[in-house]
Amino acid sequence: MKNYFKTPIGRLRIVAMLEGISLLILILIGLPLKYILGIPEVVKTIGPIHGALFLLYLFLTLGVATEFNWKRIVISKVLLASLIPFGTSYVDQKILRPTHIKKGNI
């Protein structure tokens, strides 16, 4: 796991999972609590964290895309994944992990 922090693509993989988890917490826990039970605290707490992770994911994606000379379609897929529940997990398995392994960083 320490190797993930040493490479840009490893850091992107970590942030992708955290961003995906925060999105799921917001959608599956926060929003029902807020709109069904009237308890907005989860959204107030997780919302800004998710926003920060989302921005960090975008910046890291653009940095990795530049470093690895990704085509626009790959960049689009990786960025679009952050908007879809479980999207970052899919991108991690199909794009990020193979790239990370190919570069010998795992």
Side-chain angles (χ1 to χ4, degrees):
M1 185 62 151
K2 277 197 278 186
N3 291 339
Y4 283 82
F5 292 103
K6 294 179 181 178
T7 64
I9 200 146
R11 289 188 290 273
L12 176 59
R13 291 183 70 195
I14 291 169
V15 171
M17 285 299 110
L18 293 173
E19 193 275 337
I21 291 168
S22 70
L23 177 62
L24 290 174
I25 291 171
L26 275 176
I27 291 173
L28 300 176
I29 298 170
L31 293 178
L33 284 175
K34 181 177 180 178
Y35 291 110
I36 296 171
L37 300 177
I39 304 170
E41 286 77 21
V42 174
V43 173
K44 286 182 180 178
T45 303
I46 299 297
I49 294 169
H50 170 70
L53 287 169
F54 177 77
L55 291 174
L56 185 57
Y57 179 81
L58 294 178
F59 289 127
L60 287 175
T61 297
L62 295 175
V64 168
T66 302
E67 183 174 330
F68 288 91
N69 295 317
W70 282 352
K71 295 179 180 178
R72 288 184 182 169
I73 188 71
V74 175
I75 298 168
S76 299
K77 286 179 184 179
V78 174
L79 292 176
L80 182 64
S82 67
L83 304 174
I84 303 167
F86 299 104
T88 55
S89 179
Y90 174 81
V91 163
D92 182 62
Q93 291 300 311
K94 298 295 181 182
I95 298 172
L96 301 179
R97 186 170 186 263
T99 304
H100 203 196
I101 290 172
K102 187 190 321 184
K103 295 294 180 184
N105 294 317
I106 221 171

